[in-house]
Amino acid sequence: MRILILGGTSDGRALAELLQPAGPRPGSADRALSVVSSLAGRVRSPRLPPGEVRIGGFGGVAGLVAYLRGEAVTHVVDATHPFAAGMTANAAAACAETGVPLTILRRPGWTAQPGDRWHRVASLAEAAEVLPGLGERVFLTTGRQDLAAFAELDLWFLVRSVDPPDPPVPRRMRSILARGPFTVDGETALLREHAVDVLVTKDSGGADTAAKLTAARALGVPVVMVDRPALPPGVPVVATPEEAVAGL
């Protein structure tokens, strides 16, 4: 088996760890295999998974097809971010063309709890449309490459990302660089310090960045939640790295 993990997430790193040839252990896979993790290279200092790693794009569907054939890849696991819709679509198309089995690893999205004031939207553009009616001081956690949708709004933004934001950016903005996991106490203090009255986030799921939702609930801060893009039809989907290993 030659397994390609399309990674860049904590789940991708966990899957690579489970598949490393370090001897049998509970939850580990058959050792007659090799694994390579592929990262897009959009973060300057990514957390690297164990084992073989490649960084950079493939060059669209044609480039991925060539890679799968050239590397004799037998299985692909798409463990990219839930909003990496382009890479997921390319993986589905390339695997369909080559006949290589594809599994999508997607952690469950977040679920609203009693006391939450969520406003679900289908896109960043829709998030920008509803924001002026919800607050004036925005905590924006959608990522450094997604600020263009909010650049023309006359609101104040606190933007958090791993690397500095890419222009265009909002005119009134403070940028902070940080990487999760975050704590509820820390997120609560951050919202209070900056008098945040509305939070915008993508429905990424997972525990690393969920503390902001707990803090917003406690403080009564409304949340604009951007829904995930649809997945390609007919592709098996698992929720955990362990389920991915079992499928492989």
Side-chain angles (χ1 to χ4, degrees), residues 136 201 216 228:
E136 296 182 351
T201 189
R228 296 178 175 188

Side-chain angles (χ1 to χ4, degrees), residues 150-193:
F150 307 93
E152 299 305 318
L153 294 181
D154 188 24
L155 303 172
W156 183 87
F157 288 88
L158 175 65
V159 175
R160 181 170 67 195
S161 56
V162 176
D163 292 324
D166 294 335
V169 300
R171 292 185 293 271
R172 300 164 57 200
M173 181 190 80
R174 177 175 178 183
S175 173
I176 56 175
L177 304 183
R179 191 199 303 263
F182 302 103
T183 67
V184 173
D185 288 346
E187 297 292 69
T188 301
L190 188 68
L191 294 178
R192 284 175 169 161
E193 176 187 354

Side-chain angles (χ1 to χ4, degrees), residues 38-66:
S38 178
L39 311 184
R42 293 179 178 176
V43 177
R44 293 179 182 176
S45 299
R47 292 174 175 169
L48 296 178
E52 184 180 349
V53 178
R54 71 173 300 278
I55 296 179
F58 292 95
V61 175
L64 183 52
V65 166

Side-chain angles (χ1 to χ4, degrees), residues 190-242:
L190 188 68
L191 294 178
R192 284 175 169 161
E193 176 187 354
H194 296 283
V196 168
D197 56 14
V198 60
L199 165 67
V200 181
T201 189
K202 296 176 177 178
D203 188 6
S204 302
D208 283 0
T209 59
K212 62 191 172 190
L213 301 176
T214 304
R217 183 187 312 126
L219 297 176
V221 173
V223 176
V224 179
M225 183 70 68
V226 182
D227 286 333
R228 296 178 175 188
L231 294 174
V235 180
V237 180
V238 297
T240 68
E242 290 77 12

Side-chain angles (χ1 to χ4, degrees), residues 47-173:
R47 292 174 175 169
L48 296 178
E52 184 180 349
V53 178
R54 71 173 300 278
I55 296 179
F58 292 95
V61 175
L64 183 52
V65 166
Y67 181 88
L68 296 180
R69 288 174 172 161
E71 294 292 322
V73 172
T74 61
H75 299 76
V76 177
V77 179
D78 175 8
T80 56
H81 191 276
F83 284 80
M87 187 67 251
T88 296
N90 287 351
C95 287
E97 182 172 338
T98 58
V100 174
L102 170 65
T103 300
I104 296 176
L105 170 55
R106 285 290 184 276
R107 57 185 179 263
W110 290 312
T111 302
Q113 305 296 318
D116 282 329
R117 299 169 58 196
W118 287 12
H119 301 262
R120 284 199 171 273
V121 296
S123 65
L124 293 169
E126 188 176 343
E129 289 179 6
V130 304
L131 262 184
L134 296 174
E136 296 182 351
R137 296 181 64 83
V138 184
F139 184 23
L140 188 59
T141 64
T142 57
R144 67 185 178 89
Q145 297 177 315
D146 293 324
L147 303 188
F150 307 93
E152 299 305 318
L153 294 181
D154 188 24
L155 303 172
W156 183 87
F157 288 88
L158 175 65
V159 175
R160 181 170 67 195
S161 56
V162 176
D163 292 324
D166 294 335
V169 300
R171 292 185 293 271
R172 300 164 57 200
M173 181 190 80

